[in-house]
Amino acid sequence: MINDLNLFLRLSEELIKAENEEQVVTPIPPKELLQYVDIALTEEASVDQDFENALRSLVLNTPRTATHKFYNQLFGGRNAKAVLGDLLAVMLNNSMYTYKVAGPQVGVEKEIIHKSCALAGYPTTADGTIAPGGSMSNLMAMLMARDYGRFHITQTGVESGLCMYTSADSHYSIPKNASFIGIGLKNVRKIETNAKGEMIPEALEEAITQDLAEGLTPVMVNATAGTTVLGAFDPIDRIADITEKFEIWLHVDGAYCGSVVFSDRYRHLVKGLGRSDSFSYNAHKMLGTPLTCSIILTKHRKCLYDSFAIDADYLYQTDQDDYNLGKTSLQCGRRNDALKFWTLWKAVGRKGLEEAVNHQFYLAKIAREYVDQHSDYQLYSYPDSVSVCFNYKGIEANELCTAMYEAGELLVGYGEFKGQEFVRLVTINAGNDKEDILNFFKHLEAFASAQFGSSS
Ligand SMILES: *Cc1c(COP(=O)(O)O)cnc(C)c1O
């Protein structure tokens, strides 16, 4: 074991050195992978130097999400305290379903859940769990919403006529999950958004009224706190007025930016959150823990049990349900995704997490101002968003992003809003500074003039 841990340390040191020297790896075309990396599994054992070399080339050829040139997705960077917690979770290898095998790790997860409920403005009777990602948090919320007041569904299956609502700019996991849970893609109403990408409450109310008139049963409204492309916040308070009036479950999908609850300065973006029935946020996005760490909370503790607790005598043999987390999770065996978040939170405090969140908005402001002040750019984003969307010199966003990726220059993605495609710079890595953001533009401009020079 110790030898392999030493190898881990050596490879980690080499990786960090490589990250500092050349922050992006030149991508290997998938068909040529075997030429570059010794991936093949063979009859005979691979030992010592062969094994180490295979591992080294694999590690050093993998995209570097922790560097200052990775802006491609809604995660990035590397938080040392969180990594430490995750490494320890692997060493300990507990499964979170029972107190008997996870011991105090159960308390670690429950502490995160309870403190998160308080930040969301939920009562002390609220509860939650950790799911394998934001899509699965949404799935859990949608199952609870489906079963709320319709508990017979868990016994007899889904009846027809159920429908739900989400904005046209919400995450694709909402319709995807609707197909999983027997509601059906066609029964998801995509509510129109305004110019900033926020759900229009009047359009929501109209859709609900129409469905009710047709005898359908609305089961859930999903509001998004940070839409995936623009980073827009749906107006929760106004949406809650409607869900309370019609008695419909309100879920807030905060996978991307729900972590604003940690910030006294930005919590107002989810004003009204305490009125929702469920809320999820990804600590692996704004808070910078390693993938995955998604927290799903509900105001109705009983709903967690109604939708997820099935008894298993071979598993739940000791302690109360409260400490047997398997009773309220999707999975049976479940890795400890709590410890990495706990080590981070413990080390920096709520105030440290607030700083990380505030810093991301600061970086976005730097980027937005840069784009705004340079006439070669066109800006598509609004304040209070950590997605900065723009086009440069009219170059097609997908061509620019793909060319930069293929040249091993920068990793950044493109997105689309109301038919307009643009580069989406995500300032979610709190390890970045003003300089890194300005460097991003410098690299992009130099690359564009070398590659697309004549077209500009
Ligand atoms: C990222 C995201 C999700 C999905 O989260 P995963 O952890 O990738 O499954 C859901 N909703 C929104 C708004 C997101 O941005």
Side-chain angles (χ1 to χ4, degrees):
M1 184 75 222
I2 294 298
N3 278 343
D4 286 308
L5 286 179
N6 284 330
L7 175 57
F8 171 82
L9 266 186
R10 266 202 319 282
L11 291 176
S12 296
E13 275 166 6
E14 285 179 46
L15 173 63
I16 290 169
K17 186 161 171 276
E19 285 173 346
N20 288 333
E21 284 168 5
E22 17 152 340
Q23 307 205 335
V24 180
V25 288
T26 310
I28 304 169
K31 289 210 176 77
E32 293 166 33
L33 207 48
L34 294 177
Q35 282 167 243
Y36 287 87
V37 191
D38 177 14
I39 284 175
L41 297 170
T42 51
E43 282 288 297
E44 304 304 326
S46 174
V47 291
D48 302 336
Q49 207 55 48
D50 279 352
F51 175 73
E52 180 169 335
N53 289 343
L55 213 47
R56 175 174 292 109
S57 82
L58 182 61
V59 166
L60 295 180
N61 278 294
T62 298
R64 293 177 187 157
T65 64
T67 66
H68 304 297
K69 286 195 180 169
F70 181 85
Y71 299 91
N72 205 67
Q73 247 86 38
L74 309 183
F75 70 93
R78 182 185 293 122
N79 184 291
K81 290 291 186 294
V83 169
L84 171 65
D86 210 12
L87 293 173
L88 288 171
V90 171
M91 287 296 283
L92 291 165
N93 197 36
N94 303 103
S95 177
M96 297 303 271
Y97 42 40
T98 60
Y99 192 81
K100 193 176 179 185
V101 300
Q105 302 296 330
V106 167
V108 161
E109 179 163 318
K110 289 183 77 79
E111 176 68 3
I112 290 171
I113 297 297
H114 291 145
K115 287 282 153 65
S116 298
C117 284
L119 289 171
Y122 283 175
T124 52
T125 49
D127 205 349
T129 183
I130 296 187
S135 300
M136 292 298 107
S137 282
N138 285 342
L139 176 65
M140 295 189 79
M142 291 166 72
L143 284 166
M144 289 188 283
R146 186 197 67 179
D147 301 341
Y148 188 47
R150 287 172 289 271
F151 184 56
H152 61 273
I153 287 180
T154 63
Q155 298 293 324
T156 57
V158 188
E159 63 229 24
S160 66
L162 305 183
C163 60
M164 46 177 303
Y165 309 82
T166 191
S167 93
D169 295 297
S170 63
H171 193 257
Y172 74 92
S173 61
I174 301 291
K176 183 171 170 172
N177 290 330
S179 85
F180 293 169
I181 69 171
I183 286 185
L185 291 170
K186 285 197 164 160
N187 298 311
V188 179
R189 310 283 175 254
K190 303 267 182 66
I191 307 301
E192 202 190 325
T193 56
N194 64 18
K196 293 163 97 178
E198 305 158 348
M199 188 195 283
I200 300 172
E202 292 78 12
L204 171 67
E205 181 153 10
E206 197 180 306
I208 294 172
T209 309
Q210 190 174 334
D211 283 330
L212 286 171
E214 288 175 20
L216 298 175
T217 308
V219 301
M220 185 179 113
V221 173
N222 173 62
T224 309
T227 57
T228 309
V229 174
L230 275 193
F233 290 81
D234 287 341
I236 299 174
D237 248 338
R238 293 184 60 202
I239 292 171
D241 290 341
I242 297 167
T243 54
E244 283 170 9
K245 173 172 158 192
F246 292 100
E247 295 184 356
I248 303 171
W249 184 288
L250 173 59
H251 173 60
V252 176
D253 173 6
Y256 184 9
C257 301
S259 301
V260 294
V261 296
F262 285 87
S263 166
D264 291 340
R265 192 181 306 164
Y266 291 100
R267 194 176 299 118
H268 71 90
L269 295 171
V270 290
K271 190 167 172 291
L273 178 61
R275 296 167 70 186
S276 66
D277 298 284
S278 56
F279 167 57
S280 54
Y281 71 96
N282 279 358
H284 71 249
K285 287 185 173 171
M286 282 190 115
L287 301 182
T289 74
L291 289 153
T292 57
C293 189
S294 184
I295 288 78
I296 166 74
L297 310 172
T298 177
K299 195 187 274 174
H300 317 283
R301 187 162 187 276
K302 184 173 178 296
C303 291
L304 264 182
Y305 287 87
D306 283 353
S307 291
F308 300 105
I310 302 279
D311 237 317
D313 293 339
Y314 62 85
L315 189 60
Y316 305 113
Q317 297 175 338
T318 64
D319 310 299
Q320 315 108 290
D321 278 356
D322 238 8
Y323 290 89
N324 288 330
L325 301 182
K327 284 271 166 109
T328 53
S329 60
L330 275 180
Q331 306 116 288
C332 176
R334 182 162 67 95
R335 96 185 281 288
N336 181 355
D337 285 321
L339 186 57
K340 58 194 169 196
F341 186 15
W342 182 89
T343 47
L344 169 60
W345 194 335
K346 184 84 176 162
V348 304
R350 198 274 307 161
K351 288 182 178 165
L353 298 175
E354 163 171 45
E355 266 171 42
V357 169
N358 292 354
H359 187 61
Q360 291 161 46
F361 283 100
Y362 163 75
L363 294 176
K365 183 165 168 278
I366 300 288
R368 221 171 20 250
E369 285 173 1
Y370 184 91
V371 168
D372 215 22
Q373 287 158 13
H374 290 77
S375 58
D376 286 339
Y377 288 86
Q378 184 164 11
L379 179 67
Y380 300 93
S381 293
Y382 296 89
D384 288 339
S385 160
V386 294
S387 294
V388 181
C389 302
F390 63 86
N391 276 321
Y392 179 63
K393 290 191 171 178
I395 303 170
E396 294 275 346
N398 62 16
E399 280 180 38
L400 179 59
C401 294
T402 306
M404 287 198 294
Y405 159 67
E406 285 172 350
E409 191 68 36
L410 270 178
L411 270 81
V412 63
Y414 54 92
E416 194 231 273
F417 177 68
K418 298 199 194 289
Q420 180 67 54
E421 198 168 78
F422 39 61
V423 180
R424 180 188 60 163
L425 166 60
V426 179
T427 61
I428 204 156
N429 177 0
N432 278 333
D433 240 311
K434 182 176 176 178
E435 277 311 298
D436 299 303
I437 300 300
L438 297 178
N439 272 332
F440 167 92
F441 290 111
K442 232 184 257 169
H443 282 289
L444 182 145
E445 287 161 19
F447 182 84
S449 83
Q451 296 290 314
F452 298 86
S454 56
S455 73
S456 63

